[in-house]
């Protein structure tokens, strides 16, 4: 079946540091890939997405590139802020698996001033 | 503003009682979902509905029930058969099945 593996957290960075959160996947078909963010006590929000190989999703300074050859979708940001502290979830939707969505376990990011 | 609403934000119940969590969306989305999130863990799919009047069991449906009589509404009932119901419950919707999901703010259920 499909699966999503995220870098284990928690991740602690200083403000303005470079962020990478690794995400790799296995899928039966050719999935769409997503990053969601969850702030404390809230629901998830879509951060960015990519639907085909080599697509780069970007939003609010975050980027991720769909790498089919390495089955990866790593999240990056050049300079994190305290307000980026949250839990980040990588997810996929696989049309070959009846379009079912699969989420990673989430990575907690804490940014210190 | 379009979005998903869940009510209430916090819910307390005694063991043995059924409880219904509300989820409403005004995004005109066809698909809706219910997830459970336990502390420090990811999301687990309880039920989903690809279209009105149809729904399917997810990975952890035992002890839960749903209905989808209206496109905009997808209430979840946590029954007394659910062994460990205390959790954070998230409702989501997507324009079509498999598209990116939009989440509600969640309901934190505590059963004692």
């Amino acid at each position: 079946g499909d699966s999503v593996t995220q870098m284990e957290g928690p991740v602690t960075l200083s403000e303005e540091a470079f962020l990478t959160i690794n995400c790799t996947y296995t899928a039966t078909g050719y999935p769409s890939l997503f990053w969601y963010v969850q702030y404390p006590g809230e629901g998830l929000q879509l951060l960015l997405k990519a639907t085909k190989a080599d697509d780069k999703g970007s939003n609010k300074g975050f980027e991720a590139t769909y790498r089919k050859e390495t089955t990866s979708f790593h999240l990056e940001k050049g300079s994190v802020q305290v307000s980026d502290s949250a839990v980040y979830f990588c997810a996929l939707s696989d049309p070959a698996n009846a379009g079912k969505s699969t989420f990673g376990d989430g990575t907690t990011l804490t940014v210190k001033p | 503003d379009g979005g998903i609403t869940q009510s209430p934000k916090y819910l307390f119940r005694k063991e043995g009682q059924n409880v219904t969590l509300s989820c409403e969306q005004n995004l005109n989305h066809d698909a809706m979902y219910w997830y459970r999130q336990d502390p420090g863990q990811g999301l687990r799919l309880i039920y989903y509905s690809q279209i009105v009047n149809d729904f399917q069991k997810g990975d952890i449906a035992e002890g839960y029930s749903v209905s989808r009589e209206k496109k905009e509404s997808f209430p979840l009932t946590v029954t007394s058969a659910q062994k460990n119901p205390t959790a954070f419950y998230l409702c989501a919707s997507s324009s079509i099945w498999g598209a990116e999901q939009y989440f509600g703010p969640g309901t934190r259920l505590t059963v004692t």
Side-chain angles (χ1 to χ4, degrees):
Chain A
D2 296 346
S3 68
V4 175
T5 302
Q6 287 184 234
M7 179 169 129
E8 280 195 31
V11 174
T12 303
L13 295 173
S14 297
E15 209 164 21
E16 299 183 4
F18 185 85
L19 168 71
T20 300
I21 300 178
N22 291 337
C23 172
T24 57
Y25 68 89
T26 59
T28 307
Y30 198 153
S32 294
L33 302 174
F34 310 92
W35 276 102
Y36 292 87
V37 59
Q38 184 179 32
Y39 298 101
E42 298 183 7
L44 280 69
Q45 302 172 25
L46 178 68
L47 184 58
L48 52 84
K49 68 176 184 179
T51 57
K52 61 182 189 294
D54 301 325
D55 263 3
K56 178 185 280 188
S58 60
N59 185 25
K60 300 180 182 179
F62 291 90
E63 293 183 339
T65 300
Y66 190 143
R67 300 288 187 202
K68 192 167 187 294
E69 63 277 13
T70 55
T71 61
S72 65
F73 193 54
H74 305 321
L75 182 68
E76 296 182 336
K77 186 175 186 184
S79 176
V80 293
Q81 305 301 311
V82 172
S83 57
D84 293 327
S85 299
V87 182
Y88 292 82
F89 291 90
C90 185
L92 66 82
S93 170
D94 187 356
N97 189 15
K100 189 177 174 186
S101 292
T102 302
F103 286 79
D105 289 338
T107 301
T108 300
L109 170 67
T110 301
V111 180
K112 300 195 170 181
Chain B
D1 277 343
I4 299 181
T5 57
Q6 291 186 244
S7 60
K9 190 166 179 65
Y10 298 95
L11 192 53
F12 298 88
R13 282 294 183 269
K14 296 290 188 185
E15 265 187 37
Q17 293 179 336
N18 292 354
V19 59
T20 297
L21 281 59
S22 167
C23 177
E24 304 277 332
Q25 54 100 357
N26 61 4
L27 300 167
N28 200 32
H29 284 174
D30 282 326
M32 296 187 75
Y33 315 76
W34 273 106
Y35 294 93
R36 171 182 171 137
Q37 187 177 33
D38 293 287
Q41 297 190 28
L43 280 67
R44 291 187 287 170
L45 182 64
I46 304 172
Y47 267 96
Y48 62 94
S49 168
Q50 296 186 46
I51 200 162
V52 65
N53 291 321
D54 182 63
F55 53 82
Q56 308 291 333
K57 291 181 180 180
D59 300 319
I60 57 162
E62 186 175 349
Y64 300 98
S65 66
V66 294
S67 63
R68 185 87 188 275
E69 296 174 1
K70 297 187 293 183
K71 186 175 186 178
E72 60 269 24
S73 179
F74 192 41
L76 172 75
T77 297
V78 184
T79 76
S80 56
Q82 168 49 233
K83 298 273 187 280
N84 186 17
T86 295
F88 189 50
Y89 290 88
L90 287 163
C91 180
S93 71
S94 61
S95 56
I96 57 173
W97 175 248
E100 64 268 24
Q101 296 180 30
Y102 293 79
F103 285 79
T107 292
R108 189 168 299 280
L109 173 65
T110 303
V111 177
T112 57

